[in-house]
Amino acid sequence: TTFGSAQSVNNTPYDRQMSSVSSYIHTPVTISSSSALSEEEVTRYMSSLRSLPYAFTPYWKSPEETLHSASDRKAKSVALYTYLRRHGEHASLVIGKRALNHPKTHAWVLWEHDGKSFNLDPTFSYSVRSSDSTCSSYIPFYLFSGSKKFKIS
């Protein structure tokens, strides 16, 4: 990962609240015979998520629910993460903070593509490039990649 030290863990403080989307979080990378997604394709999908109205929900929505209703940072990030993994891309869901002094946690996606790592935030950014620079101050706590979980320190 592009984050300091990552320690594999069996449980996180978020597991219970994420139980409604655990089948999406555990989505394996689909091996595709077609070519990998381009930055432009990912930007189009991110833009569609960013364009959805924002509304906080106390539970985690499925990607299908997200695409048809107002959604929050968690839902948009799970939708993007699932999209990438279903298209054969290596992606991880990240939970942390947007800034050290920010009062709430946030969710975004780490996308490994063409030998580069991109932090993608479909809540605040419309494109791969603008998102990666927006996320430079983000502080990761936990990373989820398929069935693996990591604590970032």
Side-chain angles (χ1 to χ4, degrees):
T1 69
T2 59
F3 308 124
S5 173
Q7 176 185 353
S8 181
V9 295
N10 292 325
N11 302 300
T12 77
Y14 303 96
D15 292 346
R16 190 165 12 129
Q17 64 180 280
M18 292 170 64
S19 64
S20 63
V21 294
S22 64
S23 64
Y24 298 97
I25 303 298
H26 294 118
T27 299
V29 172
T30 303
I31 305 303
S32 174
S33 59
S34 63
S35 61
L37 291 170
S38 67
E39 285 184 34
E40 292 76 25
E41 290 169 303
V42 175
T43 289
R44 274 195 298 279
Y45 191 75
M46 275 183 67
S47 184
S48 69
L49 291 171
R50 172 65 178 90
S51 297
L52 292 170
Y54 183 89
F56 173 79
T57 57
Y59 65 94
W60 290 62
K61 287 181 167 183
S62 72
E64 293 80 14
E65 291 174 293
T66 300
L67 296 175
H68 300 291
S69 61
S71 299
D72 65 10
R73 62 198 179 275
K74 304 178 304 279
K76 292 178 180 190
S77 292
V78 168
L80 178 58
Y81 166 83
T82 303
Y83 170 80
L84 291 168
R85 291 184 69 89
R86 285 182 176 167
H87 283 87
E89 298 291 328
H90 292 280
S92 301
L93 179 69
V94 185
I95 297 177
K97 287 194 170 192
R98 290 183 60 214
L100 187 59
N101 63 349
H102 204 272
K104 296 187 184 234
T105 57
H106 191 63
W108 67 96
V109 175
L110 174 66
W111 179 37
E112 314 249 348
H113 180 71
D114 282 345
K116 296 178 252 173
S117 296
F118 297 95
N119 287 296
L120 307 179
D121 187 346
T123 305
F124 294 105
S125 298
Y126 287 99
S127 74
V128 169
R129 293 295 173 173
S130 69
S131 185
D132 197 48
S133 62
T134 299
C135 295
S136 64
S137 65
Y138 287 18
I139 302 163
F141 296 156
Y142 291 93
L143 184 139
F144 302 81
S145 186
S147 62
K148 297 178 182 175
K149 303 172 192 178
F150 299 91
K151 180 177 175 144
I152 308 301
S153 52

